[in-house]
Amino acid sequence: VFEPATFTANDTTPDVRVGRVFKTNNGSILGTCTIIGFDNGTAGQIIHIIHMDTKTDYTDGTNLQLFRGLDHTSAQTNDTITFVCVDGTKWVESCRSDNT
């Protein structure tokens, strides 16, 4: 059984060494928080993220490889996204769900 850990608000590279299931926490920030990667991952690690706000975005780039190479800027509350770590720093998206 995994209890979700909550990302620190406005963290663009959240630490993922503490678990497999995470919640976003950007509901009270001004603007949006754009995640560009994850800290302290290990090769083969799979993480699942539950959106608890509408202010968390993801940028496709060096550390995140997103679906079709496009930024993800439309996540809504209760949507999910899953990543697999390739080498400790590079993460590839394996799936996302739109639960709105």
Side-chain angles (χ1 to χ4, degrees):
V1 175
F2 294 97
E3 183 175 331
T6 302
F7 289 152
T8 301
N10 219 18
D11 188 349
T12 60
T13 57
D15 190 327
V16 295
R17 77 178 120 192
V18 297
R20 288 185 41 188
V21 180
F22 299 89
K23 293 180 180 181
T24 64
N25 185 30
N26 293 311
S28 63
I29 67 168
L30 296 175
T32 60
C33 175
T34 302
I35 294 176
I36 59 171
F38 300 102
D39 289 336
N40 300 306
T42 58
Q45 181 180 6
I46 298 172
I47 61 171
H48 308 279
I49 302 167
I50 304 166
H51 293 96
M52 302 306 295
D53 58 75
T54 60
K55 297 181 176 185
T56 303
D57 295 338
Y58 302 85
T59 297
D60 182 79
T62 303
N63 295 322
L64 288 185
Q65 301 293 299
L66 300 173
F67 180 66
R68 294 190 176 155
L70 301 172
D71 295 344
H72 181 34
T73 60
S74 59
Q76 300 295 307
T77 302
N78 296 320
D79 288 354
T80 65
I81 191 166
T82 300
F83 292 95
V84 178
C85 187
V86 176
D87 61 5
T89 58
K90 181 178 179 180
W91 295 82
V92 294
E93 179 183 351
S94 65
C95 65
R96 67 176 81 164
S97 65
D98 181 345
N99 298 311
T100 55

